[in-house]
Amino acid sequence: MADLKVNFAGVDFRNPLVLASATPGWDGLHLKEAGEAGMGAVIPKTIGPLQDWAAHPRNGRMFLYRVGNSKRPIGMINMELFTTKSRDEWIAKDLSVARQGGAKIFASILAMPEPEQTAELASQIEATGLVDLLELNASCPMPASTVGMHIGKNPVLTSLQVKAAKSAIKLPLSVKLTPNVADMVEVAQAAVEAGVDAITISNSIRSFAGVDIESGRPNLRSYGGYTGPAIKPIIMRHFSEVARAVKVPLSAVGGVTSWQEVVEYIMLGASCVQVATTIMWNGLGKVAEILQGLSEFMDRKGYRSIDDFRGIALPYITTVEELAKEAPRFASIDQTLCRNCDICARVCFYGAIKQQDGQVLADRSCCDGCGLCAQWCPAGAITLKE
Ligand SMILES: Cc1cc2nc3c(=O)[nH]c(=O)nc-3n(C[C@H](O)[C@H](O)[C@H](O)COP(=O)(O)O)c2cc1C
């Protein structure tokens, strides 16, 4: 049977699934329950100061982004800031309750306005002896200035924060970066040079929840963090770019809803994979479902450990310029599978799909090899061939 154990920045987790810092870990009891549900590690809501600028809206701060006639939610925008518990409560009670769940405690601390404050906070949390490693949150997308992504989008400020935290603790430190940048690699490299042990990619995407057209009012009256299935391609872009550029262990977080996405992130180089929104939407039953799917997949593929397939997709990523040099391929329709539904003709703007003698045919002389017909074909009848 597959061995799900992983080592992340020197700490052994019983499996790669981690509860991300979010509402499901707002107190010790819920973290304990997440541990009992089987998580490899759990991350509390970001521990920081209880000050005016750390208070979040209490009159509705979540918005489900829905699409289509079925109004299926594909993402969520939230305006939630940091922990609603004091640092003293975490230290005196909640961290030890969380530990009873059996998962490793991966404590999230806020990168404070001044690096010395961050060092003090990191040292206080380490001194409890109740945490296994720390995650420095330099990436919350909500604050208007000073903290959160305003630190994480800047390589110099990120470096100062990492150095300060590292100088104060002996435990491994991961820095959680923001996707609200054009290039995460330069921030990741600055963090590595500053001595960080691992990187978490990433926090949520600063976003706007849209307008209620009946009332003419914004759905949420400020900007929030976008999370859930819709963000996965954006986070995977940042994640894979950083994975190709740095050597430290990486924790992936963004858009995971199933074991398949956990496998995808591992194949892009993740040592562990975090989940937040899917737990908020579906509950902790998701943990067993994901771990079982991961284990069965590994058995089916003959992978004995997570290391057997970590990073295997990375060498195949290249530039579009390189891909453009490859020999062209053209749409080819397998007539035994084709259902004659005409969807391929509707999506082809090159006029390469034609009806002839009751059959749907692809005309190589018009085909530009975009592959959209193959993506849409409900029967899997279309492939691109030389
Ligand atoms: C309601 C909510 C609250 C969150 N609070 C925090 C937080 O306190 N600290 C933090 O680092 N990230 C926080 N996050 C971000 C998540 O940890 C995670 O990075 C993000 O949700 C993307 O993962 P997902 O798509 O699995 O939800 C929060 C996310 C949500 C949805």
Side-chain angles (χ1 to χ4, degrees), residues 20-23 45-46 62 76 78 80-81 137 176 202-203 227-228 231 253-255 275-277 280:
S21 181
T23 321
K45 274 289 292 180
T46 297
M62 316 267 180
M76 181 164 76
N78 79 85
E80 183 162 299
L81 290 178
N137 175 357
K176 186 171 182 181
S202 73
N203 214 312
T227 67
I231 73 168
V253 49
V275 281
T277 302
M280 293 180 71

Side-chain angles (χ1 to χ4, degrees), residues 88-103:
D88 291 345
E89 282 175 288
W90 282 108
I91 291 172
K93 180 171 149 250
D94 290 86
L95 287 175
S96 43
V97 174
R99 264 199 106 71
Q100 293 164 15

